Amino acid sequence: MKCGAASFFSEAAPLGVVGSCLLDKLETQPEIFRFKHHYILSALDSEVLYALFLAMGENRMAALQKGQRSTRILPLKIYISTQTGRNYVLAQADGRFRFFRLDLIDAVKPGEPTAADDRRMQALCAFEERVWGVATKRSEETEHLEMVIHAEPEEAFVVKRLFREKRCGAVTELGGGNWRFEADVLDALELLPWIRTFTGRVASLQCTNPEVARRFYGDLAAMQAMYGGDTDAVQ
């Protein structure tokens, strides 16, 4: 079973090349796993990812090379998107936290070591509580979003989704089958794909960034016009 896990790891996980090297040392190859459709998306990122892990383990600065351009960063954490499969490094650069896509990085050059800083890690935790995806802004000002959804008593699975899938923020029961999700994030537009999955249950949507509600309700109106539904067919 351990060999089977290494086989799966070599094909499906970041830095799968490590699993591949382990398999090369075996006399027989495990055949417990099969891929019906196999897309090797992050293979070219492995060398970049490995260099970033080395820099993180040694608490070093690093220079990200993209063509002729070089960006000096302190890598702190690796993010993997469950939607796109892309890998990102969350780093401190130019005095603020930023995300960089690994598949857009040509090379990573190690830099000088830095001292551990508890205040930096505290600031990192506070930053992560205000991000939904990987969008960041120069301004630290957050956008407040509130969404109220309705779920019947037999639809507890909807409420469980709210608690399970929210990456930040809070969920509050309002009574009468209504539940409120609210969060303060750096870019509320990133929540729109998730909010759309509750179409038909959204009782209200408000945000300090008016573009969020305008785009959500505008898309619903366009869909109603496209399919010729009644005015109350979609909420």
Side-chain angles (χ1 to χ4, degrees), residues 8 58 60 78 104 107 117 148 188 195 204:
F8 182 79
E58 298 173 356
R60 288 181 175 273
I78 300 298
L104 299 181
D117 190 341
V148 176
I195 292 173
S204 68

Coordinates of all heavy atoms in Angstrom, one line a residue, residues 8 58 60 78 104 107 117 148 188 195 204:
F8 N 0.7 7.1 -6.6 CA -0.3 8.1 -6.7 C 0.3 9.5 -6.5 O 0.0 10.4 -7.3 CB -1.5 7.9 -5.7 CG -2.6 8.9 -5.9 CD1 -3.5 8.8 -6.9 CD2 -2.7 10.0 -5.0 CE1 -4.6 9.7 -7.0 CE2 -3.7 10.9 -5.1 CZ -4.6 10.8 -6.1
E58 N 14.8 27.5 4.8 CA 16.0 28.2 5.3 C 15.7 29.7 5.7 O 16.6 30.4 6.0 CB 17.1 28.1 4.3 CG 17.5 26.7 4.0 CD 18.5 26.7 2.8 OE1 18.8 27.7 2.2 OE2 19.0 25.5 2.5
R60 N 14.9 32.2 3.8 CA 15.7 33.1 2.9 C 14.9 33.9 2.0 O 13.7 33.6 1.7 CB 16.7 32.2 2.0 CG 17.8 31.6 2.7 CD 18.7 30.8 1.7 NE 19.9 30.3 2.4 CZ 21.0 31.0 2.5 NH1 21.1 32.2 2.0 NH2 22.0 30.4 3.1
I78 N 2.6 28.2 0.3 CA 2.2 27.8 -1.0 C 0.7 27.5 -1.0 O 0.2 26.9 -0.1 CB 2.9 26.5 -1.4 CG1 4.4 26.7 -1.5 CG2 2.4 26.0 -2.8 CD1 4.9 27.7 -2.5
L104 N 4.1 31.1 -14.1 CA 4.6 32.3 -14.7 C 6.0 32.7 -14.3 O 6.5 33.7 -14.7 CB 3.6 33.5 -14.4 CG 2.2 33.3 -14.9 CD1 1.4 34.6 -14.6 CD2 2.1 33.1 -16.4
A107 N 12.4 31.0 -13.1 CA 13.4 30.5 -12.2 C 13.3 31.2 -10.9 O 12.8 32.3 -10.7 CB 14.8 30.6 -12.8
D117 N 10.5 36.4 12.4 CA 9.8 37.6 12.9 C 8.3 37.2 13.3 O 7.5 36.9 12.4 CB 9.8 38.7 11.9 CG 9.3 40.0 12.4 OD1 8.6 40.0 13.5 OD2 9.5 41.1 11.8
V148 N -27.8 36.8 2.5 CA -28.8 36.0 3.2 C -29.4 35.0 2.3 O -29.8 35.3 1.2 CB -29.9 36.9 3.8 CG1 -31.0 36.1 4.5 CG2 -29.3 38.0 4.7
A188 N -14.1 41.5 -2.8 CA -15.3 40.8 -2.7 C -15.8 40.2 -4.1 O -16.6 39.2 -4.1 CB -16.4 41.7 -2.2
I195 N -21.0 32.5 -4.7 CA -22.3 33.0 -4.4 C -23.3 32.5 -5.5 O -24.4 32.2 -5.1 CB -22.3 34.6 -4.4 CG1 -21.5 35.1 -3.2 CG2 -23.7 35.1 -4.4 CD1 -21.3 36.6 -3.2
S204 N -31.0 38.1 -0.2 CA -30.5 39.4 -0.4 C -29.0 39.3 -0.5 O -28.4 38.4 0.1 CB -30.9 40.3 0.8 OG -30.3 39.9 2.0

